[in-house]
Amino acid sequence: MATNLLLTPQSLAFSKFSVSTKKVAINSQRATRFVAKASGGEEKNDEKGFTPFGFVTDNPSSRSAIQLPESPAEDGNVGQMLYRIEDKGKEYGSYIKSGKLRWFVRETGSPESRRGTVVFLHGAPTQSYSYRVVMSQMSEAGFHCFAPDWIGFGFSDKPQPGYGFDYTEKEFHEALDKLLDVLEVKSPFFLVVQGFVVGSYGLTWALKNPSKISKLAILNTPLTVSSPVPGLFQQLRIPLFGEFTSQNAVIAERFIEAGSPYVLKLEKADVYRLPYLASSGPGFALLEAARKINFRDISSQIADGFASGRWDKPVLVAWGLADKYLPQTIAEEFRKQNLSSVELKLIEGAGHMPQEDWPEKVVDALRMFF
């Protein structure tokens, strides 16, 4: 059975670094409040001042999430946060063993659902939790739905690189193939893909397996070679700085909010934060995946693959117009290259993750398309 991290001297050192980073970040805010009170003033969350751990405190949900009680626990607040949120965010989910890997998979509806099976694939650095509302409403409309956490993400296994999983495109594809067999997903099925890195791998998997898919829906995913690469993934590729960045406990929620016009509610932010608080494994898995991917090559595969004429299945591009990572022009350029097979649906008010920002609008678009 795969383990999240092997206890090598290197991983132990990284784990100590990770926990230390999270505690210092949290205690940084405690010090900020103390100074504000000592000076006779009131703390203002919107003040712009230098703080060495601003990456933790510079977005609203994170500021509210790490507020300490009047009598904080000894040695930081990480344990309190884990205790408060450890059972959150597993709606419709269960653990599924596939080979040596354990996946966390959400499922709604039943195999007898009259309108067919839908598989939802998330992007980095998030998890299948983003599809929870869409899945629930789609099952009510007669669909059987699956949404796995990719290996290395969410509640699925996070093997240490070099010990059974190296976070390459090929390995993600092979692991997905095995999971679909274990879940007994019958082909052809409907596929929904969103996001960066593993989201892109979902599209390259589709291009290699067109016979398994009846219709494909794409939500805000890099589709052309002109697709920008967010700063997070550029930072992760910088030696040492990438290791530090990967252990930011609020990395996922901050990424979501930076690509959206909205702030996550605390209960939602808790779930996206939990894997990164629980261990250093998710951060180092994200780090490895970000360093292994060739963004330009993958985007080129996607653009050329769908424009080559080999893809003949209907495609829906449902695009959040308020995406701060991928502009509307990416979706429009992709459609122009594939006029015969691609339908473009623009979702007003939604950002990079339409399934999180406006799940009802996503459901409407998917029901009409499927």
Side-chain angles (χ1 to χ4, degrees), residues 91-107:
E91 291 92 333
Y92 318 119
S94 63
Y95 289 98
I96 304 294
K97 190 72 179 297
S98 174
K100 296 182 179 180
L101 299 171
R102 189 177 70 155
W103 294 69
F104 182 79
V105 181
R106 301 174 196 271
E107 179 181 7

Side-chain angles (χ1 to χ4, degrees), residues 39-60:
S39 63
E42 295 185 3
E43 180 189 2
K44 295 182 179 180
N45 286 341
D46 56 353
E47 284 184 353
K48 299 295 182 182
F50 173 76
T51 169
F53 293 97
F55 60 80
V56 174
T57 60
D58 64 359
N59 64 318

Side-chain angles (χ1 to χ4, degrees), residues 327-346:
Q328 179 183 341
T329 53
I330 300 296
E332 293 173 341
E333 180 182 348
F334 181 76
R335 183 173 182 270
K336 287 179 182 178
Q337 296 172 351
N338 305 275
L339 285 174
S340 62
S341 61
V342 174
E343 173 187 344
L344 178 59
K345 171 68 174 179
L346 302 178

Side-chain angles (χ1 to χ4, degrees), residues 23-35 43 45 51 53 56-58 62-68:
K23 288 180 180 177
V24 172
I26 291 167
N27 286 329
S28 168
Q29 179 146 339
R30 183 192 303 173
T32 300
R33 291 211 306 276
F34 176 79
V35 171
E43 180 189 2
N45 286 341
T51 169
F53 293 97
V56 174
T57 60
D58 64 359
S62 300
R63 284 199 298 267
S64 62
I66 64 176
Q67 296 298 316
L68 296 170

Side-chain angles (χ1 to χ4, degrees), residues 81 104 216 342 366:
M81 293 173 69
F104 182 79
L216 171 65
V342 174
L366 294 180

Side-chain angles (χ1 to χ4, degrees), residues 10 16 28 34 65 78 97 101 115 124 128-129 150 164 171 193 222 230-231 243 255 271 294 318 321 340 342 347 361:
Q10 181 186 35
K16 290 177 182 177
S28 168
F34 176 79
V78 175
K97 190 72 179 297
L101 299 171
R115 298 189 65 179
S128 63
Y129 176 74
W150 283 102
E171 288 177 308
V193 175
E243 278 77 4
F255 180 83
V271 179
N294 183 321
L321 287 176
S340 62
V342 174
I347 303 179
K361 292 184 178 181

